Amino acid sequence: MIKTISILVENKAGMLVRVTNLFSRRGYNIESLAVGITEKSEISRITVIVDTDERILDQIVHQLMKLVGVIKVKVLDDDAIITRELVLIKVKADSTCRNEIIQIAEIFRARIIDLCPDSLTIELTGQYDKTNALLSMIEKFGIIEVARTGKVSLSRGTDSINT
Amino acid sequence: MNGARYIVDILCENGVDVVFGYPGATVLSIYDELHKNKKRIRHIRTAHEQGAAHAADAYARASGKTGVVIATSGPGATNLVTGIANAYMDSVPMVVITGNVDQHLIGTDSFQEVDIVGITMSVTKYNCVVHSIDELGHSLRNAFIIAQSGRKGPVLVDVPRDVLESCLSLKSIKKMEAEFDYYHPPESREDCCEHELDRAVQMLTESRNPVILVGGGVKAHRTSHVTDDIKQLAKILDCAICSSLMAVDSIEYDYPYYAGFCGISGNEAANRALDEADLIIAIGTRFSNRMIKSRSEQEVLHSGYTKVLHIDRDRAEINKVIASDCFLVGDAEQILPALIARYREKMEAEDITSGVAVPAITYNMYKRDEILTALSEKVGTDAYIVTDVGNHQMWIARNYPFMQSGRFITSGGLGTMGFGLGAAIGTVTHAKDKPVVLIIGDGGFTMSCHELATIKAYNLPVLVIMVNNGKLGMVYDLQAQKCRGRFSQTVVKRKPLYCNLARSFGMKAYKATCLETFNKAVQQYMDTKKATFIDLCMDIYGRNE
Ligand SMILES: Cc1ncc(C[n+]2csc(CCOP(=O)(O)OP(=O)(O)O)c2C)c(N)n1
Ligand SMILES: [Mg+2]
């Protein structure tokens, strides 16, 4: 099962290594990982997506809790979660196909953020399926490179990791 | 004052009166301060950093205090790694201080530079680099708190040379002390609730054949409350107590409810009790794969016939190896009295009498071993018994008549050959006038005999008994079973003169070929309390179960 874990950690050098080291050492697989500071500059949020079972998920949570510097760990509720990922896609585009690509991007509510005679760069924010769908639509034009941020998630409503 | 002096002050502030280690260029300033502060802290310099780490580890096991070890950067630090991992596996509180190169050199592959924080990340409870003198107080003080809090373990603090040698004003020391924020262990976030206690009691009442399984965690406290409660619980439930290797000595060997330790090399009675139980009450154990002896047992545990009630300080141990039907997270010192009281209440309410002074069946199947009985009678119940790793270790665990908790010092989780001599050095440093006996194999002895130099240098009164079977017994036995007797690299060819070796380090050395000569040698040690070596050339096989 796919699960999203939100981890609040002290914003200190080496915290990300400690967290990822724990995952690799105990053999837990990471599907996606994103990190950034929170509303408080001294605290970072790491969002980890794992594909695992109930027992391992419980292990991950409690092993994480033991790390010095981890402040809070929460498995987000699948039914009340918003997840987004930002993707940048650089695709080959000359005058013959540029318009077609732009049209496709519009349908996906993606934006063109850079343009030159031979290529353009698309910015897309969304969920996993949407990104994959867009990628498969423009694959034929020739994708030069892709950068994805990894997914970030929050729970819906006023609920937060602190409640 | 410089950083090095501040370290010495913080060590004293934390009640440290002995440290183990080995000097080098990056920790020059620490050694200089240790020299100036000889009266406040004793330093034991071993022959090898690994020995120092094992010594600090065993010192902590014997005393309950935090063991401290110091080493220089690069090879000094890497030599500690086995010792740190050993302490980590057995949850031993230890503070490791390593020097590192000057900060401007870090990352440049400079001379004797290693990323010891990266290397030891997965074998420490916590580790860090001290980037500035202003962080030193905070990092080192918290290292002691982390090492001792909740489930204990080793913490490494890596201090670059320039930090050790930079100056501190009294004002900044005051500031550091005022602003110190204590580390709060996450374990305290979760404690057992009423509802779970009720369920646990329910399981106790429903079980027809329970067994109590105690692990190393029950030895975390120096008091006997936990073991007293465990013994009481066994009486109330009329059931066997089994232990893990780590906790063999937690119950007196002749306690009628005690069946010994379980596992691949464990006592028959204990393994049977565990096999037949319909409820395992596990206290402070992590269900090591060595302890869950046979496949069939694992299957039993998973089949649902055997229920598991797991009590542990560390929530992450719950359901890690064995799925439990109910768990109580917290300190056994609080949980057990609550559990017993609740169980009694329930029994009284239902008008059932509980508790028997004599067990219904014989749980204790302890078999006397001639050599070990003789040894224990001579050295007394106060003696510390340290082992290395191998067949001799299992012989001691199965057959030594332990009478006091905390007297058995052995490498459990990591199974580190070469642990014994360093460990005996650490133990004797704490034991003062109590006898310290090391039982070590000829393989492990050869691996670490350089530490005899430390025994000589500090005049440490240990009794080293080397079981001379001419082989790496434990692996030899495996080859007999699994390799059709192809004994690859496990037989000692052309044995050295062990007694002469020991004598050259100033020890009294005896070759024991029969019980009589053995007894004499032990008596010599007890009479003189001088470092003594016994080359034990007697067959220990066939003597134990
Ligand atoms: C550092 C290390 N290397 C290898 C092993 C594997 N090993 C486990 S027991 C053993 C044999 C030990 O031989 P000895 O010290 O003579 O003890 P005996 O079993 O003969 O009593 C070996 C090689 C180990 N546990 N630790
Ligand atoms: Mg041997």
Side-chain angles (χ1 to χ4, degrees):
Chain A
M1 64 189 188
I2 303 284
K3 282 283 175 188
T4 306
I5 307 170
S6 220
I7 310 162
L8 296 188
V9 301
E10 285 170 18
N11 183 16
K12 278 195 189 144
M15 260 332 283
L16 183 62
V17 183
R18 274 173 215 286
V19 169
T20 51
N21 177 66
L22 188 143
F23 276 81
S24 69
R25 134 146 165 71
R26 296 208 180 257
Y28 311 141
N29 270 326
I30 297 178
E31 295 273 309
S32 160
L33 181 139
V35 55
I37 59 166
T38 61
E39 66 280 6
K40 299 190 189 97
S41 64
E42 71 278 9
I43 296 176
S44 294
R45 181 194 290 264
I46 301 175
T47 306
V48 181
I49 296 181
V50 292
D51 184 1
T52 185
D53 60 27
E54 209 55 75
R55 194 178 67 85
I56 298 294
L57 183 67
D58 183 71
Q59 270 294 300
I60 294 174
V61 170
H62 291 101
Q63 293 291 358
L64 281 168
M65 296 266 276
K66 286 204 292 181
L67 290 182
V68 177
V70 167
I71 299 162
K72 196 130 199 184
V73 182
K74 192 173 181 181
V75 179
L76 299 183
D77 178 2
D78 295 325
D79 298 330
I81 184 174
I82 32 175
T83 299
R84 291 293 180 271
E85 180 183 35
L86 185 112
V87 191
L88 299 180
I89 307 163
K90 189 179 290 176
V91 59
K92 282 188 194 150
D94 56 20
S95 54
T96 60
C97 61
R98 189 176 295 137
N99 281 342
E100 194 183 341
I101 297 173
I102 291 172
Q103 264 179 12
I104 294 171
E106 265 169 15
I107 293 167
F108 282 88
R109 291 174 206 269
R111 296 196 303 153
I112 311 300
I113 53 169
D114 188 35
L115 188 66
C116 71
D118 298 319
S119 76
L120 57 78
T121 301
I122 305 173
E123 173 202 311
L124 174 70
T125 306
Q127 293 184 351
Y128 201 69
D129 323 351
K130 189 171 153 184
T131 310
N132 284 350
L134 173 62
L135 279 171
S136 70
M137 284 302 291
I138 57 174
E139 211 173 3
K140 62 177 180 200
F141 303 108
I143 290 167
I144 300 168
E145 60 180 343
V146 174
R148 306 171 76 140
T149 57
K151 290 173 235 184
V152 292
S153 304
L154 287 180
S155 49
R156 284 188 188 279
T158 40
D159 242 22
S160 85
I161 189 167
N162 299 312
T163 55
Chain B
M1 179 191 295
N2 66 7
R5 171 58 197 265
Y6 196 40
I7 288 180
V8 171
D9 285 356
I10 294 172
L11 293 181
C12 290
E13 171 193 310
N14 280 279
V16 175
D17 47 22
V18 59
V19 297
F20 304 87
Y22 209 97
T26 57
V27 288
L28 210 59
S29 56
I30 299 184
Y31 277 84
D32 201 25
E33 290 304 326
L34 283 170
H35 189 78
K36 293 183 208 156
N37 290 276
K38 264 187 220 162
K39 291 217 171 71
R40 297 165 74 200
I41 297 183
R42 184 177 184 208
H43 181 281
I44 307 268
R45 200 215 80 210
T46 50
H48 185 291
E49 285 89 352
Q50 184 182 345
H54 292 324
D57 169 327
Y59 175 83
R61 291 183 205 232
S63 67
K65 289 161 70 170
T66 303
V68 178
V69 57
I70 302 169
T72 193
S73 66
T78 52
N79 272 351
L80 294 174
V81 174
T82 304
I84 298 171
N86 189 75
Y88 182 73
M89 291 292 261
D90 289 347
S91 309
V92 178
M94 197 154 100
V95 168
V96 183
I97 300 170
T98 48
N100 209 334
V101 298
D102 288 5
Q103 288 188 84
H104 74 272
L105 293 172
I106 287 183
T108 64
D109 302 320
S110 56
F111 180 63
Q112 295 193 329
E113 182 205 349
V114 295
D115 171 23
I116 197 64
V117 163
I119 290 171
T120 58
M121 193 167 282
S122 60
V123 292
T124 49
K125 205 174 155 189
Y126 179 64
N127 64 12
C128 62
V129 184
V130 179
H131 292 288
S132 101
I133 187 85
D134 300 324
E135 292 172 11
L136 184 60
H138 178 86
S139 299
L140 196 55
R141 287 197 174 94
N142 268 336
F144 278 92
I145 294 172
I146 293 166
Q148 281 283 357
S149 66
R151 180 173 177 181
K152 300 170 187 191
V155 178
L156 180 142
V157 181
D158 189 37
V159 198
R161 194 191 65 102
D162 55 322
V163 174
L164 288 172
E165 291 176 16
S166 49
C167 278
L168 262 171
S169 65
L170 230 87
K171 213 177 116 200
S172 51
I173 289 178
K174 285 256 157 62
K175 188 162 173 275
M176 248 192 259
E177 274 160 19
E179 286 175 3
F180 178 60
D181 75 66
Y182 277 93
Y183 166 71
H184 295 286
E187 287 100 331
S188 59
R189 293 178 201 160
E190 190 152 2
D191 269 324
C192 92
C193 69
E194 294 292 294
H195 169 70
E196 285 166 315
L197 210 53
D198 281 340
R199 265 195 55 199
V201 169
Q202 186 66 29
M203 283 169 76
L204 296 186
T205 53
E206 280 167 10
S207 164
R208 304 175 71 201
N209 189 15
V211 64
I212 299 170
L213 175 59
V214 299
V218 305
K219 283 162 61 181
H221 292 287
R222 292 292 115 179
T223 61
S224 62
H225 299 239
V226 174
T227 42
D228 288 347
D229 285 336
I230 288 165
K231 287 194 270 187
Q232 207 195 348
L233 189 62
K235 268 191 195 168
I236 295 173
L237 300 173
D238 185 13
C239 73
I241 305 170
C242 305
S243 64
S244 71
L245 174 67
M246 286 292 293
V248 164
D249 57 332
S250 60
I251 310 285
E252 299 95 87
Y253 81 100
D254 59 353
Y255 190 66
Y257 294 88
Y258 187 33
F261 88 104
C262 341
I264 296 187
S265 313
N267 296 93
E268 265 298 306
N271 282 326
R272 189 153 9 92
L274 201 64
D275 255 340
E276 290 168 1
D278 67 351
L279 170 67
I280 297 174
I281 305 159
I283 307 167
T285 176
R286 59 185 174 80
F287 288 102
S288 147
N289 55 325
R290 278 269 162 153
M291 189 177 73
I292 304 300
K293 188 188 161 201
S294 58
R295 238 178 80 82
S296 78
E297 226 166 274
Q298 281 208 29
E299 279 157 12
V300 170
L301 284 169
H302 289 297
S303 73
Y305 167 72
T306 307
K307 293 211 165 7
V308 175
L309 164 60
H310 199 168
I311 301 170
D312 206 285
R313 169 78 281 198
D314 180 357
R315 172 60 180 82
E317 284 307 332
I318 309 292
N319 299 334
K320 187 182 85 179
V321 177
I322 296 288
S324 59
D325 300 271
C326 176
F327 59 84
L328 303 171
V329 175
D331 204 317
E333 205 168 46
Q334 277 101 51
I335 290 177
L336 288 179
L339 185 68
I340 291 170
R342 190 72 63 92
Y343 179 76
R344 282 229 162 104
E345 263 168 44
K346 193 170 158 108
M347 284 314 201
E348 270 158 31
E350 288 168 20
D351 224 13
I352 302 166
T353 47
S354 62
V356 284
V358 186
I361 56 167
T362 326
Y363 298 118
N364 193 313
M365 308 271 274
Y366 174 79
K367 290 202 187 83
R368 251 171 55 95
D369 177 278
E370 242 184 337
I371 303 175
L372 296 183
T373 304
L375 176 64
S376 69
E377 277 167 5
K378 289 237 182 297
V379 298
T381 55
D382 244 4
Y384 286 89
I385 305 297
V386 185
T387 76
D388 206 68
V389 167
N391 282 343
H392 63 281
Q393 174 193 29
M394 297 304 151
W395 175 49
I396 297 298
R398 270 195 304 259
N399 293 87
Y400 193 86
F402 287 105
M403 285 301 287
Q404 284 189 51
S405 182
R407 287 300 196 262
F408 177 46
I409 293 183
T410 203
S411 164
L414 197 67
T416 312
M417 268 176 85
F419 169 75
L421 265 169
I425 290 164
T427 305
V428 76
T429 313
H430 165 73
K432 305 258 152 52
D433 52 348
K434 296 189 187 88
V436 172
V437 184
L438 166 67
I439 292 94
I440 188 166
D442 42 358
F445 179 74
T446 307
M447 199 180 256
S448 59
C449 59
H450 47 258
E451 291 304 344
L452 291 185
T454 316
I455 289 175
K456 177 172 168 64
Y458 295 89
N459 209 1
L460 303 174
V462 295
L463 171 60
V464 178
I465 301 174
M466 191 198 74
V467 178
N468 187 348
N469 56 5
K471 54 195 175 211
L472 307 178
M474 192 174 255
V475 180
Y476 181 93
D477 288 356
L478 272 179
Q479 290 172 340
Q481 282 171 32
K482 300 198 172 168
C483 309
R484 301 188 182 196
R486 287 186 299 274
F487 297 111
S488 175
Q489 306 295 321
T490 50
V491 179
V492 181
K493 289 183 189 144
R494 290 193 282 279
K495 290 184 189 178
L497 301 171
Y498 295 109
C499 281
N500 284 3
L501 178 70
R503 280 189 200 110
S504 74
F505 287 101
M507 296 177 89
K508 288 256 176 258
Y510 306 91
K511 189 170 183 140
T513 48
C514 65
L515 206 55
E516 207 190 328
T517 46
F518 177 73
N519 269 331
K520 252 193 202 153
V522 178
Q523 190 59 49
Q524 258 291 316
Y525 165 70
M526 290 306 288
D527 292 344
T528 59
K529 277 291 165 59
K530 291 239 162 66
T532 305
F533 179 85
I534 300 178
D535 180 6
L536 184 66
C537 299
M538 292 168 72
D539 183 17
I540 61 167
Y541 295 93
R543 290 180 183 281
N544 49 55
E545 305 192 334

